[in-house]
Amino acid sequence: MPARATLFVVLAAGEGTRMKSDSPKVMHAVAGQPMLGCVLDAAQAANGKADLAVVVGPAMEAVADYAVARAPGAQTFIQRERRGTADAVRAAGEAVNGHDGDIVVLYGDTPLIRPGTLTAMIESLAQGADVAVLGFEAANPSGYGRLIREGGRLVAIREERDASEAERDIRLCNSGVMAFRSGVLPELLGRISTSNAKGEYYLTDAVEIAVGLGKTVGLVEGTEQEVLGVNDRAGLAEAEAAAQQRLRQAALAGGATLIAPDTVFLSHDTKIGRDVTVEPHVFFGPGVTVADGATIRAFSHIEGAMIAERATIGPYARLRPGADIGATARIGNFVEVKAARVETGAKVNHLTYIGDARVGEGANVGAGTITCNYDGVAKHFTDIGPGAFIGSNTALVAPVRVGEGAYVGTGTVLTKDVAPHALAIGRARQVEKPGWVTNLKRKAEPKGEAG
Ligand code: UD1
Ligand code: CA
């Protein structure tokens, strides 16, 4: 029997007051993408056929728009009032009630959740559970719902406020992720009331209700780190640190050398090939691909860039979005490249800005070269042909073209195109005045002492 689509319901209506931010909590980034994106990624990776429903608060259009852009086909729902996690799921009633496959509910503020764990929960339903709960052993359980077991079976989840002294000693906690076999969730949701210390509709009550109805409740255990819920900036920093550890491990496992892994910062989508060496203190923003054998030297900042095989970047280089560095090319210290293709074997080694440009194959760009790409209104293109040689301290006033194999003399302010294999030079001619200094000094000498 072909598996039916699983519906993932992501709860993201919380305002995140403790973040002290103008942005909704789930839009704060971990490893270069909003936490909501991390969760949507995990859901999609767990089940390619997944349907997604995202519940946001009122006046959170930006969150809904982000969810749809990130996961086309996702449905978004607004929970008008924050009346608890079960109420949030009800807000997605249209998606939930009409769905005839399994349903997984997860929270938008748990960015480290792994696809494999979600798969394990769906698997637990396939093994016969009507409801599956993702639990974990907490080093410090305070604030979490406790998992209450009888004879080894999960019978209830007790929120801390409602728990007895004895129940508070339990370290097995609720992560918040719950899975429901097809058809089970609507029945349970209808029975959840607000009879608890907070007066909210708790989704967690679904467990006790399910047990009362004679349904089977399964428990899947995850690690504390994986289900870390971000409620404030300290939690966000903790999640970031954990995400970085994972990404570094993945880069190492993929055959890259990170000389000092703890000083390298990656994004969720950074692609690093085999035999890449990354020196200490390198930052990768979103959208970077580093091909096999490339070297990223210390203190470089890279985002939105492609780096081809065996290219060398840095030390102290800055690659901005649209930088496309060809095989074996070299980008040296204090060089910034933006929206420019530096072709195979080209060298841009020192103190240079290359923006909105092409640097042709094998071209050599001297120290202190600037593409003057902006006239205060629009950006213009500079084209440096293959094998061209740009002398040091050249200003290339775009739009301008340097033909294949042409030379531009040091110190030129280039305003006109240069034909292939020609030399262009545009600087003040040097003049020399023989004896000029001697004359100056003679005039300044004190006249002989009088009397
Ligand atoms: C919840 C669980 C608790 C678990 C903990 C794990 C409940 C009742 N409690 O507590 O058992 O140990 O998570 O981190 O579920 N949300 C809405 N609308 C609401 C309320 C919440 O969308 O009306 C969303 C929030 O944005 C958040 C998630 O649901 O993403 C969890 O809500 P939160 O208030 O953070 O619950 P916890 O107290 O952390
Ligand atoms: Ca929380």
Side-chain angles (χ1 to χ4, degrees), residues 433-445:
K433 304 193 173 179
W436 190 91
V437 178
T438 317
N439 286 339
L440 175 80
K441 291 189 174 167
R442 191 177 299 140
K443 275 190 222 153
E445 260 170 28

Side-chain angles (χ1 to χ4, degrees), residues 133 136 138 140-149 154-161 163-175 204 207:
V133 173
F136 66 103
N140 170 14
S142 106
Y144 290 116
R146 309 297 205 280
L147 300 188
I148 314 292
R149 284 183 292 186
L154 186 57
V155 293
I157 302 177
R158 197 82 72 231
E159 290 306 301
E160 182 162 274
R161 289 164 185 250
S164 67
E165 280 297 310
E167 287 170 340
R168 285 185 190 195
D169 286 341
I170 297 171
R171 285 181 43 216
L172 186 64
C173 291
N174 175 31
S175 69
T204 45
V207 168

Side-chain angles (χ1 to χ4, degrees), residues 29-31 112 225 228 233-248 262 264-265:
V30 168
L112 300 170
Q225 188 202 59
L228 175 98
R233 303 271 182 169
L236 186 68
E238 224 180 295
E240 180 71 41
Q244 289 299 334
Q245 282 309 344
R246 272 190 198 172
L247 292 166
R248 290 167 190 145
D262 289 348
V264 174
F265 292 82

Side-chain angles (χ1 to χ4, degrees), residues 11-15 25-26 55 79 81-88 106-110 136 143-146 157-159 173-176 198 200-204 227-229 231:
L11 306 189
E15 287 153 355
K25 177 162 76 173
V26 296
V55 181
Q79 183 191 19
E81 259 181 89
R82 242 183 89 90
R83 296 192 298 169
T85 43
D87 181 67
L106 57 172
Y107 296 163
D109 65 356
T110 54
F136 66 103
Y144 290 116
R146 309 297 205 280
I157 302 177
R158 197 82 72 231
E159 290 306 301
C173 291
N174 175 31
S175 69
K198 238 176 153 183
E200 285 189 354
Y201 295 96
Y202 286 167
L203 182 62
T204 45
V227 297
L228 175 98
N231 294 322

Side-chain angles (χ1 to χ4, degrees), residues 21-59:
S21 171
D22 292 337
S23 318
K25 177 162 76 173
V26 296
M27 294 305 281
H28 286 264
V30 168
Q33 74 170 332
M35 287 195 273
L36 179 57
C38 305
V39 174
L40 294 174
D41 266 2
Q44 285 176 311
N47 189 331
K49 295 199 306 167
D51 291 342
L52 287 162
V54 180
V55 181
V56 303

Side-chain angles (χ1 to χ4, degrees), residues 212-295:
L213 293 172
K215 297 191 189 298
T216 314
V217 179
L219 172 65
V220 174
E221 273 201 58
T223 63
E224 181 162 19
Q225 188 202 59
E226 168 171 14
V227 297
L228 175 98
V230 172
N231 294 322
D232 54 22
R233 303 271 182 169
L236 186 68
E238 224 180 295
E240 180 71 41
Q244 289 299 334
Q245 282 309 344
R246 272 190 198 172
L247 292 166
R248 290 167 190 145
Q249 292 305 324
L252 295 170
T257 294
L258 310 187
I259 294 174
D262 289 348
T263 69
V264 174
F265 292 82
L266 299 145
S267 282
H268 65 105
D269 60 351
T270 308
K271 293 187 183 65
I272 297 194
R274 287 163 61 108
D275 291 320
V276 166
T277 298
V278 182
E279 291 185 356
H281 300 286
V282 173
F283 181 92
F284 293 95
V288 177
T289 298
V290 184
D292 295 352
T295 301

